Amino acid sequence: MSLIEQRNRFLSFAFAAADVLVETDREGNVLYAAGATAALGEPPLEDSREAFARRLDPTSRPIMKALLRGMRPGRRSGPARVSCNGRAANLSGWFLGSDDRIRWTLSFESATQPDEVDPDAFARSAETALQEARRQGKSMQMSVLRISGIEEIETRLGPDDAEMLCHAVQSECQLAVGSDGVARAVDGNRIALIHSSDCNVAGLRRSIVKILQAHGFPDASVSIDSMNDAEDVEPEIAVRAFIHAVNEAADSAEGLNITSLKEAASLMMQEASRQMNRLRTSIAGRTFEPYAQPIINLRSGNVRHYELLLRLPDGGSIDASVGFAESTGVIREIDMAMTEMALNFLLEHDNAPNLAVNLSGNSLSDKAWTDKFLGLLEDVRIDRSRLCFELTETATIKKVHEVNSVIQKVRDRGHRVCLDDFGTGSASFQYLRDFPADIVKIDGSFVERVGKTDRDTALLKGMIAVCQDLGAETVAEKVETKAQAAKLKAMGVTLGQGYYFGKPIPLETVLDPNHKANRAA
């Protein structure tokens, strides 16, 4: 192959992966540019010999500087998310070390990033980083970077510039922890970090203070609290202990005051043990009180059925304990108890309205549990249409075929099945494909945004249309106002649930002839 052919091949590969190719010196001044350079403004970049960072939007320039500082021979720096003339792009740089030139690729995004962020992404990345570091004999730490003094950031900078400033801080963190570490935002003020013990966290703190000051926050302060890795604790437990400690620190408005993951894990397990004993005592003694929330036909205003909810003996919601119950397996005991309670209630009261019981993916994935569950349904002497089952936490299901077989047996017995929280990471179109449902409950986050933007409306209409094409009814949850109910009805949603129609009430109350939950959209 001739040199010209080799050149053309590599250029083809390069432009297949990026929109713009730029070569700079070590200070970031442009020496050569090719590709869609017109997107970076005038004069033509290839003739400018100016600092490449000047062609980026002001909030992205600190990111470029951070990438330059992090350059090491033979390694890539980035990709980092930047903005050029308001258009989002990914920037990466390569410094081969054989000369003083840095080669950059800039790839414009064709669509905006999704609003929802996978909540488990940090945990998975952190576990992998710890496992690899331990394998190599590296000493690691987990840290939380907390920023104060940037209140009302969107009001002061505007949404776009505020977002880019957050990306600049995030990129600085990722560069500091290196390719072996992890940096992910916890919320608007905190970033969780996994890094080697020799990471220059003091330098990172100073760099971020400078970025914040350059963007008009002279009084902003940055603190970093760290915890040492404990190698005799499994990576999964270590990460969970770290997240637990981070949340505890946030709740108490204090920094991390635990210096060892062992201690954090011990505290977490003690709290888990207390919660488990409390839940199991309530379940075994049936001392919890079932509540019910109405689900209304949007056209007629009549109650279709009530969703059965659980309240602890003190009247408190169990919502705060659901995540714990899922992770420990106690949710299986809860699901079985709620199913038995619903069946007994319907058997004892012929005039009772229809009910819906939640079933976790955790429960449905356990063969011993499903055998007992199906056996319980086998002997039921009620009209099967009076009891519906809602599938929750379907993302935890690994053996899709086996679980789907259980769901089909439930449907074959005459019970309807509802897929909960459709549209979120836990119940996407994939799960609608894997688990055919009679009813689909649209996640409340979409209901809250109904009619706010054309994009939100288009997404919601698309979900409704898919469900209609599959022959499934739709339920909109978290309906708070008459206007929301009317818009959802006009868009074709079948059923509604939320405070507009009625708050959860003690189950026995639904038998009261004076109780009314009817309200048309």
Side-chain angles (χ1 to χ4, degrees):
M1 181 181 295
S2 68
L3 290 176
I4 293 178
E5 289 174 323
Q6 292 183 48
R7 182 203 64 186
N8 291 341
R9 169 182 286 179
F10 286 116
L11 280 175
S12 298
F13 285 151
F15 284 117
D19 295 298
V20 181
L21 304 179
V22 180
E23 187 177 69
T24 70
D25 58 23
R26 291 296 305 276
E27 285 71 45
N29 299 309
V30 176
L31 301 175
Y32 172 80
T37 57
L40 301 180
E42 295 292 336
L45 183 63
E46 52 269 33
D47 300 329
S48 68
R49 296 297 187 268
E50 65 180 301
F52 184 20
R54 292 181 59 84
R55 295 303 178 97
L56 305 181
D57 292 345
T59 51
S60 294
R61 291 169 190 170
I63 301 177
M64 175 77 179
K65 293 178 181 178
L67 291 174
L68 280 168
R69 286 197 303 273
M71 283 293 173
R72 298 292 183 272
R75 297 182 64 178
R76 183 177 71 173
S77 190
R81 193 161 181 258
V82 296
S83 178
C84 306
N85 295 320
R87 188 177 176 188
N90 288 304
L91 177 66
S92 296
W94 287 88
F95 177 45
L96 296 178
S98 56
D99 54 30
D100 288 333
R101 299 190 175 195
I102 300 172
R103 280 82 182 185
W104 304 88
T105 60
L106 188 69
S107 304
F108 291 106
E109 295 181 4
S110 57
T112 57
Q113 302 258 355
D115 294 331
E116 303 296 333
V117 178
D118 181 359
D120 297 324
F122 172 76
R124 288 196 300 269
S125 300
E127 289 170 28
T128 301
L130 283 184
Q131 287 172 344
E132 183 61 22
R134 292 178 183 181
R135 188 184 66 80
Q136 297 179 12
K138 293 182 180 179
S139 177
M140 300 292 282
Q141 287 186 326
M142 297 181 175
S143 301
V144 175
L145 183 147
R146 186 195 300 264
I147 302 174
S148 302
I150 57 170
E151 293 75 14
E152 300 182 354
I153 181 174
E154 287 197 5
T155 302
R156 294 174 63 175
L157 297 181
D160 293 338
D161 285 351
E163 181 182 8
M164 292 310 301
L165 173 55
C166 291
H167 282 300
V169 172
Q170 176 89 14
S171 297
E172 190 75 23
C173 290
Q174 189 59 61
L175 288 167
V177 302
S179 58
D180 297 330
V182 182
R184 287 188 185 274
V186 177
D187 52 36
N189 298 89
R190 296 181 299 161
I191 296 177
L193 310 170
I194 307 294
H195 57 84
S196 64
S197 298
D198 58 3
C199 174
N200 185 7
V201 292
L204 171 62
R205 189 191 68 79
R206 290 192 297 269
S207 295
I208 292 180
V209 168
K210 289 180 180 178
I211 291 174
L212 296 172
Q213 290 176 342
H215 286 80
F217 294 95
D219 299 325
S221 62
V222 177
S223 63
I224 301 178
D225 299 310
S226 300
M227 302 167 63
N228 297 318
D229 183 21
E231 295 188 12
D232 53 345
V233 176
E234 287 295 319
E236 180 182 0
I237 299 298
V239 172
R240 286 179 57 195
F242 172 60
I243 294 172
H244 177 79
V246 169
N247 292 333
E248 287 293 309
D251 292 341
S252 64
E254 297 177 357
L256 292 179
N257 54 15
I258 304 173
T259 58
S260 168
L261 281 179
K262 266 181 150 180
E263 185 178 348
S266 176
L267 291 174
M268 183 185 71
M269 294 309 169
Q270 290 175 25
E271 176 63 20
S273 179
R274 285 194 292 270
Q275 287 194 49
M276 184 178 292
N277 289 335
R278 183 184 183 211
L279 280 174
R280 284 200 161 130
T281 299
S282 298
I283 294 166
R286 297 297 192 266
T287 57
F288 53 77
E289 183 176 9
Y291 272 57
Q293 186 174 25
I295 294 178
I296 305 293
N297 185 307
L298 292 182
R299 296 196 176 278
S300 69
N302 296 326
V303 175
R304 167 65 69 84
H305 61 268
Y306 285 83
E307 180 183 359
L308 208 57
L309 305 170
L310 183 60
R311 291 293 184 270
L312 294 171
D314 58 6
S317 171
I318 197 174
D319 290 349
S321 302
V322 167
F324 162 76
E326 288 281 355
S327 64
T328 58
V330 177
I331 194 69
R332 295 192 288 271
E333 298 172 44
I334 294 175
D335 288 351
M336 186 63 69
M338 295 296 281
T339 300
E340 291 174 348
M341 189 170 291
L343 288 171
N344 290 334
F345 186 80
L346 293 173
L347 280 168
E348 293 171 6
H349 305 286
D350 291 336
N351 62 330
N354 298 345
L355 299 177
V357 173
N358 291 314
L359 298 181
S360 168
N362 189 307
S363 300
L364 293 168
S365 299
D366 184 275
K367 188 176 187 307
W369 188 93
T370 56
D371 287 345
K372 181 179 178 180
F373 171 71
L374 292 173
L376 182 65
L377 296 185
E378 188 67 34
D379 298 328
V380 170
R381 296 293 179 267
I382 63 169
D383 179 353
R384 305 289 183 143
S385 65
R386 297 177 67 196
L387 183 59
C388 171
F389 292 100
E390 288 194 17
L391 310 184
T392 67
E393 298 299 327
T394 47
T396 63
I397 297 173
K398 305 302 181 188
K399 298 180 180 179
V400 173
H401 178 74
E402 288 84 345
V403 171
N404 197 32
S405 176
V406 175
I407 293 171
Q408 291 306 323
K409 289 177 182 177
V410 172
R411 298 178 75 197
D412 291 343
R413 282 167 169 74
H415 301 280
R416 297 210 296 172
V417 171
C418 174
L419 182 66
D420 197 16
D421 297 329
F422 179 58
T424 67
S426 298
S428 64
F429 286 96
Q430 173 188 343
Y431 295 98
L432 191 59
R433 178 200 66 194
D434 292 339
F435 308 112
D438 304 291
I439 307 170
V440 175
K441 182 177 285 188
I442 297 171
D443 185 70
S445 62
F446 291 94
V447 176
E448 292 169 344
R449 297 195 295 262
V450 62
K452 288 190 175 181
T453 68
D454 291 341
R455 183 184 180 213
D456 291 328
T457 301
L459 286 171
L460 188 53
K461 283 183 177 179
M463 287 189 284
I464 296 168
V466 169
C467 294
Q468 290 174 337
D469 289 344
L470 294 174
E473 292 187 297
T474 47
V475 182
E477 64 177 4
K478 294 187 179 180
V479 180
E480 305 274 334
T481 67
K482 181 177 181 179
Q484 285 178 330
K487 287 177 182 177
L488 293 163
K489 174 184 172 182
M491 294 171 73
V493 176
T494 318
L495 309 169
Q497 179 181 16
Y499 282 6
Y500 174 68
F501 301 111
K503 296 181 179 181
I505 56 174
L507 179 58
E508 294 291 337
T509 306
V510 304
L511 300 174
D512 185 349
N514 296 318
H515 170 71
K516 295 185 181 297
N518 296 22
R519 181 180 266 179

